[in-house]
Amino acid sequence: DQQVKQNSPSLSVQEGRISILNCDYTNSMFDYFLWYKKYPAEGPTFLISISSIKDKNEDGRFTVFLNKSAKHLSLHIVPSQPGDSAVYFCAAKGGSEKLVFGKGTKLTVNP
Amino acid sequence: NAGVMQNPRHLVRRRGQEARLRCSPMKGHSHVYWYRQLPEEGLKFMVYLQKENIIDESGMPKERFSAEFPKEGPSILRIQQVVRGDSAAYFCASSRIIGGNEQFFGPGTRLTVL
């Protein structure tokens, strides 16, 4: 029973364009959402988060949007850079401290 | 300002041996979490500890796995009598206080069981 779903295993975009990574969740108890970036053979690096009381949070080139009614969130990266190429994980928590992760989306930014 | 530290980075064990994975949280962090990542999968929660206390072990397999976070020293994830299915990347994370929503991850220990 996958509570956090990232339905696109991979995404390829051109440098300078927008990258949009999507995430859906099923558990209504989730009230905090995070995005992590992961390079091979390294641990996940925290990128940006959003509380369920907000619908948008922005940090530099990264913006996360939350649509609670649709149980959907997305990460926008503008402009995309080759160094952004990595696997991006969506994670959620609610009612406990444990994070529930999606399976990840591999982003490739082509020069 | 050192981040979360894990060692060893790579560990090879034969079936039936014991594996011990260590994690030192970030300075000022008193909450430790262990996650496991199988190939082509996301990270799966295993256990959440504070100093000398296991708070949530709902993700821990019922047998062979144990975790501790003593008053002094690193947190230890211990796997007894390893099997090939235990081969995975094991990540430790830490956070500052309860309700500190961001967890910061270490580089992981890659366990290979021959």
Side-chain angles (χ1 to χ4, degrees):
Chain A
D1 178 25
Q2 212 179 332
Q3 299 183 68
V4 177
K5 298 179 183 179
Q6 295 178 255
N7 292 318
S8 297
S10 62
L11 175 67
S12 183
V13 299
Q14 285 299 120
E15 181 179 5
R17 304 294 290 268
I18 185 172
S19 296
I20 300 176
L21 296 101
N22 294 303
C23 178
D24 297 295
Y25 62 96
T26 57
N27 190 337
S28 300
M29 292 292 292
F30 289 150
D31 59 7
Y32 203 82
F33 305 88
L34 307 90
W35 285 94
Y36 286 85
K37 173 182 179 180
K38 186 179 181 304
Y39 294 117
E42 294 185 12
T45 301
F46 170 73
L47 270 179
I48 192 169
S49 60
I50 188 167
S51 165
S52 60
I53 63 174
K54 295 186 175 181
D55 55 19
K56 177 182 175 181
N57 188 26
E58 191 171 356
D59 184 2
R61 296 186 298 115
F62 302 91
T63 303
V64 56
F65 295 91
L66 175 63
N67 182 334
K68 282 181 61 180
S69 61
K71 293 191 177 65
H72 176 83
L73 62 155
S74 60
L75 174 68
H76 292 211
I77 307 173
V78 179
S80 301
Q81 300 173 353
D84 296 329
S85 297
V87 177
Y88 289 77
F89 289 99
C90 171
K93 63 183 285 194
S96 72
E97 294 303 305
K98 66 182 180 185
L99 294 178
V100 179
F101 282 84
K103 290 190 175 183
T105 297
K106 183 177 181 180
L107 174 65
T108 302
V109 180
N110 301 302
Chain B
N1 186 17
V4 178
M5 300 182 69
Q6 291 187 249
N7 66 82
R9 293 293 307 274
H10 300 274
L11 183 60
V12 179
R13 286 287 178 265
R14 296 192 180 279
R15 281 179 295 171
Q17 291 184 318
E18 179 178 287
R20 283 190 180 226
L21 289 64
R22 287 175 289 278
C23 169
S24 296
M26 287 178 69
K27 187 176 180 180
H29 288 192
S30 58
H31 301 256
V32 166
Y33 314 80
W34 286 93
Y35 292 83
R36 175 166 66 175
Q37 184 183 24
L38 297 171
E40 309 302 324
E41 296 285 325
L43 283 73
K44 294 282 199 299
F45 170 80
M46 299 181 75
V47 63
Y48 162 38
L49 310 102
Q50 296 176 23
K51 287 283 187 182
E52 301 184 280
N53 283 306
I54 297 175
I55 306 302
D56 181 354
E57 55 181 350
S58 59
M60 286 280 270
K62 293 289 185 281
E63 298 177 347
R64 302 188 296 108
F65 285 71
S66 61
E68 62 177 5
F69 189 14
K71 187 176 180 181
E72 301 290 337
S75 175
I76 306 286
L77 179 67
R78 181 183 180 205
I79 311 172
Q80 295 179 286
Q81 299 175 332
V82 296
V83 301
R84 289 219 173 105
D86 297 332
S87 296
Y90 291 83
F91 292 98
C92 170
S94 71
S95 66
R96 186 178 295 275
I97 56 173
I98 193 163
N101 289 300
E102 287 75 30
Q103 295 177 17
F104 297 90
F105 283 81
T109 294
R110 274 138 194 93
L111 172 65
T112 301
V113 179
L114 301 177

